[in-house]
Amino acid sequence: MMRWAALLKGVNLNERKLPMADLKALVEWLGYRDVTTLLASGNVVFACDETDGAKVEAAIEAALDAYGLNTDVVVRSAADLQAILAANPFPEAALARPNHVVVLFHRDSVPADRLDALPQIYQGRETLIARGRELYVDYIDGIGASKLPQAMAKLKFPRIATARNWNTVVKLATLLEDAHS
């Protein structure tokens, strides 16, 4: 039995509404067990027999599409999330301002060429460090006024990615571990 956290992209922003009760019911309809949602931003933790994350992502995306919501889903296992926590390159910032430290979860490894090109078009104070499929960002001056997302879009960073602040990443890892115990 695998425990997974599924992170939906862009849920409950603007017109892309999905009540968490509906998300929970949808994931249960897929036959997944011990389903719990976190916050209203499209986070769901569950158990299933499937060990291939790509198949879990595809199943949830298909169910969401049938529901009428076309969005990307990225999943991580409990072990993945523990490794993400351990790899945090900004531990002091995560303690001081956890809402300003963000992890962007990608399906594939973060392209090094895009990171290398970023300083040529953007000189913000944010610090970015890629580790595998995750991109850690320390929004030193806050997220709201940052122009980093626009610069990343201009450089065509991978489209299938979704961001969570450090508090949410910690809560997801805790939910996965608590349910596993």
Side-chain angles (χ1 to χ4, degrees):
M1 177 89 46
M2 284 285 293
R3 300 265 325 142
W4 296 100
L7 313 173
L8 284 62
K9 181 179 180 178
V11 171
N12 293 329
L13 299 172
N14 302 319
E15 301 301 316
R16 298 170 53 94
K17 303 296 181 198
L18 176 64
M20 292 302 96
D22 289 2
L23 176 58
K24 183 177 190 229
L26 183 139
V27 172
E28 288 172 338
W29 177 81
L30 288 170
Y32 300 162
R33 298 174 293 287
D34 303 322
V35 179
T36 304
T37 59
L38 175 67
L39 305 172
S41 55
N43 306 297
V44 61
V45 174
F46 54 91
C48 69
D49 295 328
E50 182 57 63
T51 59
D52 183 342
K55 289 181 180 176
V56 174
E57 289 168 345
I60 295 173
E61 285 177 356
L64 286 165
D65 198 44
Y67 175 87
L69 181 66
N70 183 338
T71 193
D72 298 317
V73 176
V74 177
V75 301
R76 295 294 187 267
S77 69
D80 292 334
L81 279 171
Q82 287 304 316
I84 290 164
L85 292 177
N88 179 11
F90 310 119
E92 296 85 13
L95 285 172
R97 44 192 161 68
N99 286 339
H100 293 185
V101 174
V102 170
V103 179
L104 280 89
F105 296 86
H106 292 82
R107 286 241 177 107
D108 300 307
S109 293
V110 178
D113 63 328
R114 304 292 182 350
L115 282 174
D116 293 342
L118 191 59
Q120 297 167 17
I121 68 162
Y122 182 73
Q123 290 78 41
R125 291 185 0 114
E126 301 86 350
T127 305
L128 291 78
I129 296 179
R131 299 232 164 113
R133 298 182 297 169
E134 277 65 50
L135 180 62
Y136 298 80
V137 182
D138 181 6
Y139 285 91
I140 295 166
D141 298 321
I143 297 169
S146 174
K147 302 296 183 206
L148 178 62
Q150 294 89 332
M152 292 171 71
K154 185 174 181 178
L155 288 174
K156 298 186 185 327
F157 270 70
R159 185 187 65 77
I160 299 179
T162 187
R164 299 296 185 273
N165 72 38
W166 194 250
N167 283 331
T168 302
V169 175
V170 170
K171 288 176 187 174
L172 286 166
T174 301
L175 275 175
L176 283 173
E177 287 303 311
D178 287 349
H180 186 67
S181 303

